[in-house]
Structures are given as structure tokens and as C-alpha cells.
Amino acid sequence: GLDALPGANGTAPVEEVAATFTFSRAAAGLRLCYWHDGAGAWRLYPSLGTVAAAVLGPARTVGVPGDREVVRVEGVGVANGDVAFWAQDAAACAAGEAASARADLGGVVAVSRALTFTGAELVFTPAATASGLGLCYRFSTEPYAFFPAVALDVFDV
């Protein structure tokens, strides 16, 4: 088990182990299954779980300046407390809300109502036209992630 792992310079057992996982798709309800070398078997830890969160839709939203827009985002792990803004590209998203969230496109929008674990509403009123923007979304306290497939165009009519 973990208590058999040596610490720094082989002095003390390790009580914590960190691991990085990369997921190929969004998924909920994931649980840790760990191979214990000494026991020669896999062991499921149902209390150690995670969510591979992602925003999966809608594909494109078209808005009109001055009109209240309600976008129902769909994905895995969306919840009250999440926030988002519309960004031109991944670099603008990575720069964060202070540098990139445009007030004329609704600024930073909080999830106003999580409908389920897989869907929530973003409500905003754009004041300017824009095209080809992607959704920059932050799950809880995680860093922002850019979802270019969830796009916004705002056209004047």
C-alpha cells in the first residue's frame, strides 16, 4: 500500500501521493481504482472520485445587441458557482477575466441556475456585435478552460 512507499532519501513512508490524469472525454462519477503491488490486486476506492468536466454545447448561439440572451450550456460538471465569459481565442481565455472579459458582451457571467449536473443557464445582454467567440468557462475554483466549439455571434438586426 501507500505506507510502503519510501519518502525523501528513503527515510520516511509517504502518506500522500499525487497523480495527474488526462481524460480523453468528459465523464461523471469516476472512482479511483489503484493497483497495490504488494497485494498483487486492484482495489476500488469509492470515496475517491472526480469529474472530468467539460462544456459540450450548444454548438452556436446567435445574439442581438440589447437583447437578453439565455444560453443553456450542456456538459458534465456544470454547477452553481461556475462562471464564464466570451473570448476571442484560447490565449484571451488564459489571460483571465480581468484582461479579457468584455463588458459589452456581458462581462463575466455566473451560472444563474444549474438545471442539472449536465446543464445550466448563462444569462447576459450583449451591447455590441461580435463574431466567432468561444466560451471561456471556469468550473468552481478550477482555472478557466476555453471551449471554441461553444461559439457566440452577435449580429445587429
Side-chain angles (χ1 to χ4, degrees):
L2 295 179
D3 57 349
L5 295 173
N9 300 322
T11 56
V14 173
E15 294 181 20
E16 274 187 35
V17 174
T20 301
F21 297 92
T22 302
F23 299 97
S24 60
R25 63 182 177 81
L30 300 172
R31 299 293 175 252
L32 179 66
C33 195
Y34 185 83
W35 176 265
H36 289 272
D37 214 19
W42 289 96
R43 180 168 175 201
L44 176 65
Y45 290 87
S47 64
L48 298 176
T50 191
V51 172
V55 176
L56 306 172
R60 183 162 298 278
T61 297
V62 177
V64 177
D67 283 358
R68 180 178 181 263
E69 304 294 338
V70 179
V71 176
R72 186 176 190 278
V73 293
E74 298 171 359
V76 177
V78 296
N80 289 324
D82 293 352
V83 294
F85 65 90
W86 299 100
Q88 195 64 48
D89 53 32
C93 182
E97 59 194 50
S100 302
R102 291 177 45 185
D104 62 349
L105 294 175
V108 177
V109 180
V111 167
S112 61
R113 185 169 63 123
L115 305 172
T116 65
F117 190 65
T118 60
E121 290 181 348
L122 298 175
V123 179
F124 63 101
T125 303
T129 59
S131 182
L133 302 173
L135 186 66
C136 189
Y137 196 93
R138 184 174 73 203
F139 295 92
S140 185
T141 59
E142 296 294 318
Y144 277 103
F146 187 60
F147 296 95
V150 181
L152 172 69
D153 296 312
V154 182
F155 299 117
D156 211 354
V157 229

